[in-house]
Amino acid sequence: MKFTAISLGFWLASFLCVVKLTEGARILAMVAVPSYSHQIAFYPIWAALSRRGHQVVLFTTDPIGDPSLTNLTEIDFRHTYDIFRKIDYAKLRYSHNWLSIMQDYLQDNFEAIVEEIFKHPKVRKLYAPNSGEKFDVVLAEVVTAHGLYALAHRFNAPLIGISSLPLQNNHYYHLGSPILPSHPSTWEMEYTTGFNLSLWGRIKNFFRLWRYIHYVLNHYMQRQQAIAEKYLGKGIPNVNEMEKNMSIMLVNQQEITMFVRPLPPNLIQFGGLHIMKNPAPLPNDLQQFLDDAPNGFIYVSLGTNVKMTSFPSYVLRVFYEVFASLPYKIVWKFNLQLPDKFDNIFTATWLPQQSILAHPNIKLFVYQGGIQSTQEAVHYAVPLFGIPVFADQYSQINKMVSLGVAKSLDITNFSVKKLNTSIMDILTDKR
């Protein structure tokens, strides 16, 4: 067949009619909190965007490090863990509530972390006036790194907020949602919320929460503003206004693991994206230990941010005594040597949690109430025993208790009898 200009034009036009043209976006994503649990919630999102042809530049403290994600550029901020590790949540549990931890400890540290991000050579190269860098959208974690919002202004791009935790009420205030100081969804109030509070209790909550919101909006966020202006100049909008005008807020929360509250229309919930379809095989020694558990086993982990050894010695003795006396095997994420050899206890500083929760012999998960752990336990249908330490853990555990799938215990009011009774109540409850 002889091609003429007309026939070639016909075939080219036909080809263009059936071929779907695609265009990848250039995306800047920033997750500043140096905590694995904050990072892992978003891993599937960055991977999916990369595989679909979008160019993603990610600021992270825990790089995915997958060479197959050729469209993902990760700027590594793992050195900021040195700032974050100064906070000992286990010790603070006995002297501070979450609002005071945020105000007295975390916010100073996050100012230091935002400074570290802005002055990083690779980040400076991105936002330099003559860099030529362009982004179609900027995603920024909203927990405490508000100064980074200004990069959306620098690149003249829409700003999307992301959170690995349910939002705090200073965020709801900016989004136009009602502020509910005593509602159990208000997790930053920890153990003071509930449905049957006294009038005096509600009044105290009202003043405590609004005082904190005023502090965040008028003091802390202005310090974040000053950091942004230090590196980007005085012409940037106020970070308060940038948060109010976010295009979308993506929040890692699901209805089943939270108390229902009014939500703004631009808040999109997601959750459980990090749960593996096929958990990795267990190490041989752990697999054998769990397979050879005629009565089943209990998995114990208080997460990545709580050091078990920071609890008072009497608390550790309670754990030792109760776990050693149970007719079940124990798998315990523990950062120290046990004081004695216990045949029924397996310890390690790191454990493949999802693979353990997926094991058919598991009877109970003793945990601190982390949101990813809650989502995993719901997915694998594992009963829960919660020991909250800080932040949203109280709300997560209270929700699970309200659903009848968990019990909880205050670690500041701990004893052998209380721990043993609570665990056995769950294990003997046929529901």
Side-chain angles (χ1 to χ4, degrees):
M1 178 178 177
K2 198 171 183 179
F3 278 90
T4 64
I6 293 175
S7 63
L8 184 60
F10 169 79
W11 286 110
L12 181 58
S14 300
F15 176 77
L16 292 175
C17 286
V18 298
V19 172
K20 182 180 180 181
L21 298 179
T22 61
E23 182 180 353
R26 186 160 167 77
I27 300 167
L28 175 62
M30 301 173 287
V31 187
V33 178
S35 173
Y36 181 67
S37 60
H38 281 255
Q39 305 288 333
I40 192 175
F42 304 113
Y43 280 2
I45 297 177
W46 315 141
L49 288 169
S50 173
R51 291 192 176 105
R52 294 184 183 190
H54 303 291
Q55 298 287 333
V56 181
V57 176
L58 173 64
F59 301 173
T60 179
T61 60
D62 296 81
I64 299 174
D66 185 345
S68 70
L69 300 176
T70 54
N71 291 328
L72 176 63
T73 301
E74 297 179 293
I75 301 180
D76 188 349
F77 288 95
R78 75 183 71 192
H79 67 281
T80 60
Y81 268 103
D82 294 336
I83 299 171
F84 203 61
R85 288 191 182 110
K86 296 175 184 177
I87 303 172
D88 193 328
Y89 294 104
K91 287 184 178 178
L92 289 175
R93 173 68 185 86
Y94 293 84
S95 57
H96 289 69
N97 58 46
W98 177 247
L99 297 186
S100 64
I101 290 174
M102 284 287 286
Q103 190 166 334
D104 298 340
Y105 294 90
L106 276 176
Q107 290 176 346
D108 288 345
N109 287 341
F110 274 104
E111 287 178 38
I113 287 171
V114 171
E115 285 259 12
E116 286 294 311
I117 292 173
F118 270 118
K119 71 184 184 183
H120 191 284
K122 291 182 179 179
V123 178
R124 280 182 178 271
K125 188 176 179 181
L126 282 177
Y127 67 72
N130 301 318
S131 69
E133 295 283 356
K134 295 182 179 179
F135 291 96
D136 298 294
V137 67
V138 173
L139 288 83
E141 189 178 29
V142 300
V143 177
T144 48
H146 308 92
L148 298 178
Y149 298 168
L151 289 173
H153 173 75
R154 161 64 184 83
F155 296 113
N156 192 29
L159 176 62
I160 292 177
I162 56 176
S163 180
S164 61
L165 302 174
L167 297 183
Q168 298 182 86
N169 274 268
N170 50 282
H171 302 121
Y172 284 124
Y173 176 80
H174 273 162
L175 294 175
S177 283
I179 304 304
L180 308 171
S182 293
H183 192 268
S185 66
T186 302
W187 59 262
E188 63 266 41
M189 299 298 286
E190 296 181 314
Y191 54 85
T192 66
T193 64
F195 292 115
N196 296 298
L197 300 182
S198 66
L199 175 61
W200 178 238
R202 292 175 182 274
I203 291 172
K204 287 195 294 184
N205 284 346
F206 178 89
F207 281 105
R208 283 184 60 223
L209 184 59
W210 276 105
R211 176 187 173 279
Y212 178 74
I213 292 172
H214 180 272
Y215 169 80
V216 171
L217 303 188
N218 295 283
H219 297 278
Y220 176 68
M221 290 186 77
Q222 298 319 305
R223 297 204 303 270
Q224 289 278 326
Q225 177 81 19
I227 295 171
E229 290 179 353
K230 175 180 175 181
Y231 293 94
L232 300 179
K234 295 285 188 180
I236 61 175
N238 189 280
V239 292
N240 277 301
E241 296 302 314
M242 284 189 271
E243 187 167 278
K244 288 179 184 177
N245 292 299
M246 283 181 172
S247 301
I248 300 171
M249 186 76 80
L250 303 175
V251 183
N252 177 32
Q253 62 186 26
Q254 296 167 292
E255 288 85 351
I256 190 63
T257 59
M258 63 175 288
F259 291 98
V260 176
R261 63 174 294 150
L263 299 176
N266 65 332
L267 189 153
I268 297 175
Q269 300 182 83
F270 71 94
L273 297 183
H274 71 288
I275 296 175
M276 305 173 188
K277 291 183 179 178
N278 298 297
L282 291 165
N284 290 335
D285 56 343
L286 181 56
Q287 181 76 54
Q288 184 176 352
F289 183 80
L290 300 184
D291 288 346
D292 184 24
N295 296 326
F297 71 90
I298 298 170
Y299 172 49
V300 184
S301 172
L302 297 190
T304 57
N305 295 317
V306 174
K307 297 177 182 177
M308 289 291 300
T309 50
S310 292
F311 288 119
S313 57
Y314 81 87
V315 170
L316 295 179
R317 285 197 299 272
V318 169
F319 279 120
Y320 299 148
E321 186 172 335
V322 171
F323 291 163
S325 66
L326 291 171
Y328 303 91
K329 288 194 170 181
I330 309 294
V331 180
W332 191 0
K333 183 178 179 295
F334 192 62
N335 60 317
L336 196 67
Q337 289 288 333
L338 294 174
D340 201 351
K341 178 174 173 55
F342 302 105
D343 292 336
N344 69 321
I345 301 178
F346 182 105
T347 64
T349 56
W350 180 89
L351 289 162
Q353 180 160 297
Q354 291 193 47
S355 302
I356 292 172
L357 293 175
H359 195 285
N361 286 343
I362 191 167
K363 298 296 183 184
L364 177 65
F365 181 15
V366 178
Y367 83 135
Q368 89 289 17
I371 189 168
Q372 277 85 29
S373 293
T374 302
Q375 292 169 352
E376 292 165 13
V378 170
H379 178 79
Y380 293 109
V382 179
L384 291 162
F385 178 66
I387 304 173
V389 180
F390 66 97
D392 64 316
Q393 297 168 1
Y394 295 83
S395 182
Q396 301 293 334
I397 291 171
N398 287 342
K399 178 61 178 178
M400 293 298 102
V401 171
S402 74
L403 294 173
V405 299
K407 286 186 177 293
S408 68
L409 192 61
D410 183 353
I411 202 158
T412 65
N413 188 17
F414 219 47
S415 69
V416 169
K417 182 178 180 181
K418 288 180 179 178
L419 181 60
N420 187 76
T421 301
S422 298
I423 289 176
M424 293 309 298
D425 282 349
I426 300 174
L427 293 171
T428 57
D429 188 335
K430 300 206 180 291
R431 292 176 298 172

